[in-house]
């Protein structure tokens, strides 16, 4: 059984702080990793993809991948109240995307 | 570029009734996916199509769920008969190709309530 684990939260951070969201996965064969943001009552929206070890930055978002530790994280710098949402980690296993249960982020003013 | 389209957006039915959902993927996307998302959980893949062929339907409850993708474009997902535990959001997604690096984009979903 392929698993993707996330802390369900909520993770509460003050406006302007760095939010750190973490995800672990069970299968070392995985090559592709994605972060989706899901606002309440909406569908998942792709915000980051990462395929190789290290960091990938896009605006205020940084994805970090460590395949040896089977760990992927998402950092959100200068967090805004509009970042409050559930963040889903997804890992691709043989062309099938497996999602974690998501971490709920709350950014308070 | 238009996104993934789904209809209806909401549906309320009684148990044992049937229901159908429709999806139109992003133009040119060969791969189409149907997911079920129960409240508080991540999306769970039900079926994936490459063009009009089924690639994976291992988690589709085939005694009550069926799906088709005619002409490799639009797709429909049907539930017959519905059970209370089918209450969920049904998400359609598409990607350019099925291979690892291609990203999936979701439609707005259909929220199904079975009473």
């Amino acid at each position: 059984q392929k698993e993707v684990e996330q802390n369900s939260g909520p993770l509460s951070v003050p406006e302007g702080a760095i939010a750190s969201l973490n995800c672990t996965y069970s299968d070392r064969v995985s090559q592709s990793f994605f972060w989706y943001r899901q606002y309440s009552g909406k569908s998942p929206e792709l915000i980051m993809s990462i395929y190789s070890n290290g960091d990938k930055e896009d605006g205020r978002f940084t994805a970090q991948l460590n395949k040896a530790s089977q760990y992927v994280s998402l950092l959100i710098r200068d967090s805004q109240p509009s970042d409050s949402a559930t963040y889903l980690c997804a890992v691709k296993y043989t062309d099938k995307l497996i999602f974690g249960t998501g971490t709920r982020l709350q950014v308070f003013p | 570029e238009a996104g993934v389209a789904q209809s209806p957006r909401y549906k309320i039915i009684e148990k044992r009734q049937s229901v159908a959902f429709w999806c139109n993927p992003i133009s040119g996307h060969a791969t189409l996916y149907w997911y079920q998302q129960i409240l508080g959980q991540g999306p769970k893949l039900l079926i994936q199509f490459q063009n009009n062929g089924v690639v994976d339907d291992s988690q589709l409850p085939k005694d009550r769920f069926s799906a088709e993708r005619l002409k490799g474009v639009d797709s429909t997902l049907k539930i017959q008969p519905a059970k209370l535990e089918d209450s969920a959001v049904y998400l359609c997604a598409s990607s350019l190709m099925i291979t690892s690096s291609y990203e999936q984009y979701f439609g707005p979903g259909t929220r199904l309530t079975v009473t």
Side-chain angles (χ1 to χ4, degrees), chain A residues 37-98:
Chain A
R37 178 176 61 199
Q38 188 170 28
Y39 291 112
S40 181
K42 301 294 185 183
S43 62
E45 173 193 8
L46 180 67
I47 54 173
M48 289 288 286
S49 57
I50 186 165
Y51 308 106
S52 55
N53 277 329
D55 295 0
K56 178 182 178 182
E57 188 174 316
D58 184 0
R60 296 187 295 113
F61 299 100
T62 299
Q64 299 175 318
L65 175 61
N66 183 325
K67 290 185 179 180
S69 300
Q70 295 174 230
Y71 178 94
V72 58
S73 64
L74 180 70
L75 301 179
I76 306 175
R77 291 183 299 282
D78 189 23
S79 294
Q80 301 297 309
S82 58
D83 295 325
S84 297
T86 296
Y87 289 80
L88 297 164
C89 173
V91 177
K92 207 149 197 188
Y93 296 103
T94 58
D95 299 329
K96 182 186 297 187
L97 206 56
I98 307 295

Side-chain angles (χ1 to χ4, degrees), chain A residues 31-32 34 36 38 41-46 48-49 51 56 88 92 94-102, chain B residues 33 35 37 40-43 45 48 56 58-59 91 97-109 111:
Chain A
Q31 294 296 319
S32 304
F34 306 88
Y36 286 82
Q38 188 170 28
K42 301 294 185 183
S43 62
E45 173 193 8
L46 180 67
M48 289 288 286
S49 57
Y51 308 106
K56 178 182 178 182
L88 297 164
K92 207 149 197 188
T94 58
D95 299 329
K96 182 186 297 187
L97 206 56
I98 307 295
F99 285 84
T101 55
Chain B
Y33 312 81
Y35 289 87
Q37 187 174 25
Q41 299 182 19
L45 180 69
Q48 61 183 39
D56 187 332
S58 58
Q59 297 198 83
L91 296 163
M97 293 288 286
I98 199 171
T99 50
S100 293
S101 60
Y102 288 95
E103 299 159 344
Q104 294 183 23
Y105 298 91
F106 284 86
R111 184 176 298 276

Side-chain angles (χ1 to χ4, degrees), chain B residues 32 34 47 49 54 60 65-69 75-78:
Chain B
L32 185 147
W34 283 102
I47 188 168
F49 294 92
V54 175
L60 187 73
F65 285 64
S66 64
E68 61 181 3
R69 189 180 185 195
S75 178
T76 56
L77 176 70
K78 297 179 182 177

Side-chain angles (χ1 to χ4, degrees), chain B residues 7 13-14 26-28 39 43 51 55 59 77 82 91 100 102 113:
Chain B
S7 67
I13 61 173
E14 295 181 351
I26 293 172
S27 178
L39 190 65
N51 296 311
V55 175
Q59 297 198 83
L77 176 70
L91 296 163
S100 293
Y102 288 95
T113 302

Side-chain angles (χ1 to χ4, degrees), chain B residues 1-6 24-27 94 105-108:
Chain B
E1 179 180 81
V4 177
Q6 289 188 249
N24 181 252
I26 293 172
S27 178
S94 71
Y105 298 91
F106 284 86

